[in-house]
Amino acid sequence: MSSVTASTRLSVLDRSRTREGYDAPAALRDTVSLARHAEALGYHRFWVSEHHGVPGVAGSAPTVLAAAVAAATTSIRVGTGGVMLPNHQPLVVAEQFGVLESLFPGRVDMGLGRSVGFTDGIRRALGREKKDAEDFAVQLEELLGWFTGGQTAHPHVRARPSEGLRVPPYLLATGEGARIAARAGVPLVIGDLRGRDRLLTAVDGYRREFRPSRWAERPYVVVAGTVAVAGTEEEAHRLLMPEAWSMAYSRTHGTFPPLMPPERIEALEMTAKERDLYESGLRGHIAGTEEQVAEALGTAVKESGADEVLVTTSTYDRAALLDSLRRLARITGQSPTG
């Protein structure tokens, strides 16, 4: 066990990726099931994501899914990674998290992002435009104000049951978003582990510019990325293949397909561009045997000074994913050996 990772919290983000042969409802049920296992393994929190109109992702309503996860578990923290604030009115987001916190007190995290729908059609359907992300700092200030009672955008309006509740905010960000997190005095969630230099630059800037607030007295950094652990390097590599191919396909065809099993991917005839993107998608992740991952993850945590690691691994074989999380929990001291 690495002494660095043993003192670092370990959490899970599941994107509710669809798989070949399984429909979107199955993906959502898989997410809830995985949350139960993560809790049993001693993980600190379990988050779900927001994607709209993406064929390969079932998670379009993160606060609804978070409620299902919280109802199916008893102690693990539950939240979003994240709600894309520019897609919503801050009052509605505050109300949703106020309801979650009221139903599951002391367990809810409010992870927030600044992306808008990723195509023009989706943005129009959401009633949003690309430029709406430019007002994120203002939107964040209003959202937090609905909890404190300090928002001034809508005098005489109060958020119920949110006002007076403490729901910890987390900001998913890189670059400018990290500066917004620092100025707002909220914890930062940043990825991925492959772009290490860029990650470290953003983290350094966040710590340098951080302003203590009622939400956090000091900087708090969560680094996010793919981590795959298996009995052999080859088995760990196979865990990475479905997502790598899905990303390569999306960048050449404009849409995410369901995750495919590795043996199907191995039989594909890829174009040169697809092959290049696919192989690029396999590189740079933390993957391997327990000993290899312990060393690599320990290095990443030491370099970044991360307080927490958020594992975002997506793969076709859910049993292999669970085994990876079990092995990771063991080597980082999150659960008893055995």
Side-chain angles (χ1 to χ4, degrees):
M1 181 196 308
S2 166
S3 61
V4 176
T5 51
S7 62
T8 306
R9 286 171 169 168
L10 202 61
S11 299
V12 176
L13 166 66
D14 191 68
R15 294 191 177 94
S16 302
R17 293 285 274 112
T18 60
R19 297 179 292 152
E20 196 172 71
Y22 300 86
D23 59 13
L28 296 173
R29 293 191 294 270
D30 284 343
T31 292
V32 175
S33 176
L34 189 65
R36 294 193 191 99
H37 289 297
E39 179 176 69
L41 290 170
Y43 282 82
H44 182 60
R45 49 181 121 241
F46 189 95
W47 283 1
V48 297
S49 61
E50 174 182 338
H51 296 274
H52 297 282
V54 180
V57 185
S60 57
T63 54
V64 177
L65 185 52
V69 169
T73 55
T74 58
S75 59
I76 194 169
R77 296 196 64 86
V78 175
T80 54
V83 165
M84 297 298 125
L85 187 54
N87 288 338
H88 311 279
Q89 291 295 335
L91 171 61
V92 175
V93 176
E95 289 173 337
Q96 291 174 345
F97 279 97
V99 169
L100 281 172
E101 176 62 22
S102 298
L103 293 173
F104 308 100
R107 292 180 58 203
V108 175
D109 300 322
M110 184 169 60
L112 306 164
R114 59 196 293 258
S115 297
V116 291
F118 80 109
T119 67
D120 289 339
I122 292 172
R123 287 190 288 271
R124 284 194 297 269
L126 291 169
R128 294 295 185 267
E129 300 177 15
K130 275 187 175 181
K131 65 180 180 63
D132 289 319
E134 298 172 4
D135 299 325
F136 181 77
V138 175
Q139 296 162 358
L140 177 63
E141 182 179 11
E142 179 186 334
L143 172 60
L144 298 180
W146 287 116
F147 289 94
T148 65
Q151 70 82 27
T152 59
H154 304 279
H156 312 301
V157 180
R158 313 288 283 274
R160 308 293 186 192
S162 313
E163 188 172 319
L165 297 180
R166 185 176 181 85
V167 182
Y170 294 78
L171 185 54
L172 284 66
T174 57
E176 175 59 26
R179 289 187 284 273
I180 293 173
R183 293 165 188 165
V186 300
L188 173 69
V189 183
I190 186 166
D192 65 22
L193 290 166
R194 293 196 299 169
R196 194 69 56 84
D197 290 343
R198 183 180 179 187
L199 182 149
L200 295 179
T201 297
V203 167
D204 288 344
Y206 165 74
R207 290 198 176 101
R208 185 172 57 252
E209 299 182 30
F210 183 85
R211 302 173 183 173
S213 72
R214 70 178 65 202
W215 305 105
E217 295 181 355
R218 64 173 186 85
Y220 189 90
V221 175
V222 183
V223 295
T226 295
V227 181
V229 196
T232 66
E233 281 189 76
E234 181 181 1
E235 290 171 337
H237 174 82
R238 291 177 71 80
L239 280 169
L240 303 177
M241 291 169 61
E243 185 70 12
W245 168 244
S246 181
M247 290 297 294
Y249 187 93
S250 72
R251 291 176 182 176
T252 51
H253 295 77
T255 184
F256 283 91
L259 296 175
M260 293 168 53
E263 55 271 20
R264 285 259 291 120
I265 297 169
E266 289 172 329
L268 292 173
E269 292 186 7
M270 301 183 191
T271 66
K273 185 175 182 180
E274 287 172 342
R275 175 68 62 180
D276 182 63
L277 289 168
Y278 169 66
E279 292 180 352
S280 175
L282 292 171
R283 293 192 293 267
H285 302 292
I286 293 179
T289 64
E290 294 181 31
E291 293 77 12
Q292 291 169 327
V293 168
E295 181 178 358
L297 188 60
T299 298
V301 169
K302 187 173 182 178
E303 289 179 351
S304 63
D307 300 282
E308 186 171 339
V309 174
L310 182 67
V311 179
T312 62
T313 310
S314 296
T315 194
Y316 179 86
D317 188 336
R318 300 293 285 193
L321 175 60
L322 177 57
D323 180 64
S324 176
L325 291 178
R326 185 180 296 113
R327 290 173 181 272
L328 181 60
R330 183 163 61 227
I331 65 178
T332 57
Q334 303 295 314
S335 68
T337 59

